[in-house]
Amino acid sequence: MALSFSRTALSVTQQYSPSKKPTTKSTLLNLLSYKPHNVNKLSTISKPNSFSLTITKLSKNPKPKSHFQPVRSLFTGIVEEMGTVQRLGDTKDGGFDLKIEAKTVLEGVHLGDSIAVNGTCLTVTDFTNEDFTVGLSPETLRKTSLIELKTGSLVNLERAVQPVSRMGGHFVQGHVDGTGVIVEKKPEGDSLWIKVKAEQGLLKYIVPKGFIAVDGTSLTVVDVMEEEECFNFMLVAYTQQKVVIPLKEVSQKVNLEVDILGKYVERLLSSGFVDSFKGSS
């Protein structure tokens, strides 16, 4: 049993559906002073008392709180806008920050939100009406091409998807697998061919007509040249105006994230999962 005392002049009766058993959750004690402007918002009000005593029974088996957290860091590879780097460098506390001028991705932004910068999922640590700041870890700097950015550089930006968002590209986690190097740019009509050299560890997951995220842009692989350790893709005129890839020169790096499905398949095959079915048949 638990005793609670209140000197407030207001008491509220908790309502519940007759079809449900009343809960044994303890009534919260209001320690704030009575405020007349709140009276009209309450459905059941009793006559004020100078002193009230409430006795409630504590639950022996309180319902545990849910630890489920919605997936936040998922992207589509459809770039929302190109932002401009304002600052990239060390902070006073020993960290490394990236400040970017933007517009679209700032709509509805909150501290802690995820924004993909050239395909790298980063957390917003500060923002204004005109820009936002993200922190970069040493691993991020080693794994991505963000270290090559400088003041004035343009970057691809995309906010994490919401449950109501359209999946216009493919599932992009924002977890960069490594970098590739642009080795060739060749126009054909108003389209542009781009050839990228990648290490063999990434190239094995890249297949013709498959998905790949290049600097956070969802693209379709056209061909894979095993001997050259390269793959290529084509950018149509519209895409060239919306992403940073055409602005990069030959020999510059791009962030690469391969399709996660390929890695899952490899993991299943190497774990003996498929063989276990063969043995049982």
Side-chain angles (χ1 to χ4, degrees):
M1 303 289 285
L3 300 179
S4 61
F5 295 85
S6 173
R7 295 187 61 186
T8 62
L10 179 68
S11 72
V12 181
T13 302
Q14 183 178 3
Q15 296 183 357
Y16 56 87
S17 173
S19 61
K20 298 181 180 179
K21 295 182 179 180
T23 64
T24 57
K25 184 182 290 184
S26 181
T27 304
L28 295 178
L29 180 63
N30 182 6
L31 298 178
L32 300 177
S33 301
Y34 168 63
K35 296 182 180 180
H37 68 274
N38 286 332
V39 173
N40 293 331
K41 297 181 180 180
L42 301 173
S43 59
T44 306
I45 304 176
S46 63
K47 185 177 180 180
N49 296 317
S50 60
F51 184 83
S52 64
L53 173 64
T54 302
I55 302 178
T56 57
K57 185 177 181 180
L58 296 177
S59 172
K60 294 182 179 179
N61 299 303
K63 185 178 180 180
K65 294 182 179 180
S66 173
H67 294 285
F68 172 76
Q69 295 292 333
V71 176
R72 297 175 57 197
S73 302
L74 183 65
F75 307 89
T76 67
I78 304 300
V79 177
E80 294 187 89
E81 68 171 320
M82 288 189 286
T84 304
V85 174
Q86 292 185 328
R87 195 185 78 84
L88 176 69
D90 298 323
T91 61
K92 295 180 180 179
D93 58 1
F96 204 83
D97 278 354
L98 172 61
K99 188 175 184 179
I100 301 171
E101 180 184 356
K103 182 178 179 181
T104 302
V105 298
L106 293 177
E107 297 174 2
V109 71
H110 298 87
L111 292 178
D113 280 357
S114 296
I115 295 180
V117 180
N118 277 359
T120 309
C121 178
L122 299 172
T123 302
V124 176
T125 58
D126 191 19
F127 67 91
T128 68
N129 292 330
E130 299 178 345
D131 54 54
F132 68 95
T133 301
V134 291
L136 301 177
S137 69
E139 176 64 10
T140 300
L141 294 172
R142 285 191 295 265
K143 200 76 173 181
T144 71
S145 63
L146 297 181
I147 190 64
E148 296 184 349
L149 297 175
K150 56 185 179 181
T151 301
S153 294
L154 295 178
V155 289
N156 292 332
L157 301 176
E158 182 192 356
R159 291 168 292 185
V161 298
Q162 297 178 340
V164 296
S165 301
R166 290 186 177 183
M167 182 55 67
H170 71 285
F171 291 120
V172 178
Q173 296 179 296
H175 302 161
V176 176
D177 293 303
T179 58
V181 178
I182 298 176
V183 295
E184 183 180 82
K185 295 172 63 178
K186 183 171 66 175
E188 182 178 341
D190 63 352
S191 296
L192 180 65
W193 284 97
I194 304 286
K195 181 189 286 188
V196 176
K197 183 178 179 64
E199 62 181 35
Q200 190 60 43
L202 293 180
L203 201 65
K204 64 179 180 179
Y205 299 112
I206 303 174
V207 297
K209 311 308 178 187
F211 286 121
I212 189 168
V214 181
D215 274 346
T217 306
S218 176
L219 297 168
T220 301
V221 176
V222 176
D223 197 12
V224 178
M225 292 72 78
E226 296 287 353
E227 298 80 7
E228 302 177 53
E229 296 185 341
C230 294
F231 69 93
N232 65 0
F233 54 87
M234 178 176 277
L235 299 177
V236 298
Y238 177 82
T239 304
Q240 293 177 50
Q241 304 300 317
K242 301 297 181 180
V243 302
V244 302
I245 301 171
L247 303 177
K248 291 191 172 183
E249 303 293 337
V250 171
S251 77
Q252 280 193 276
K253 291 182 179 180
V254 289
N255 291 328
L256 301 177
E257 181 185 334
V258 299
D259 193 348
I260 187 65
L261 294 179
K263 291 189 281 188
Y264 278 132
V265 171
E266 181 185 55
R267 178 65 174 170
L268 285 173
L269 292 174
S270 63
S271 67
F273 178 78
V274 176
D275 293 335
S276 65
F277 282 94
K278 294 179 180 179
S280 60
S281 60

Short mmCIF file of all heavy atoms in Angstrom, two decimals, residues 12 25 119 269 274:
data_model
loop_
_atom_site.label_atom_id
_atom_site.label_comp_id
_atom_site.label_asym_id
_atom_site.label_seq_id
_atom_site.Cartn_x
_atom_site.Cartn_y
_atom_site.Cartn_z
N VAL A 12 -8.87 14.86 -9.73
CA VAL A 12 -9.33 14.41 -11.04
C VAL A 12 -9.61 12.92 -10.99
O VAL A 12 -8.81 12.16 -10.45
CB VAL A 12 -8.25 14.69 -12.11
CG1 VAL A 12 -8.74 14.25 -13.47
CG2 VAL A 12 -7.91 16.18 -12.11
N LYS A 25 -2.02 0.88 -11.71
CA LYS A 25 -0.96 1.88 -11.74
C LYS A 25 -1.27 2.99 -10.70
O LYS A 25 -2.37 3.48 -10.62
CB LYS A 25 -0.85 2.49 -13.12
CG LYS A 25 0.31 3.49 -13.25
CD LYS A 25 0.35 4.10 -14.62
CE LYS A 25 0.77 3.06 -15.63
NZ LYS A 25 0.90 3.63 -16.97
N GLY A 119 26.53 10.36 -49.06
CA GLY A 119 26.28 8.96 -48.77
C GLY A 119 26.74 8.49 -47.41
O GLY A 119 26.59 7.32 -47.08
N LEU A 269 25.82 -18.08 -47.14
CA LEU A 269 26.55 -19.16 -47.81
C LEU A 269 27.77 -19.60 -47.02
O LEU A 269 28.08 -20.80 -46.91
CB LEU A 269 26.96 -18.73 -49.22
CG LEU A 269 25.82 -18.51 -50.22
CD1 LEU A 269 26.37 -17.95 -51.52
CD2 LEU A 269 25.06 -19.80 -50.47
N VAL A 274 22.91 -22.85 -46.09
CA VAL A 274 22.35 -23.58 -47.22
C VAL A 274 22.65 -25.06 -47.12
O VAL A 274 21.81 -25.92 -47.40
CB VAL A 274 22.90 -23.01 -48.55
CG1 VAL A 274 22.38 -23.83 -49.74
CG2 VAL A 274 22.50 -21.55 -48.70
#
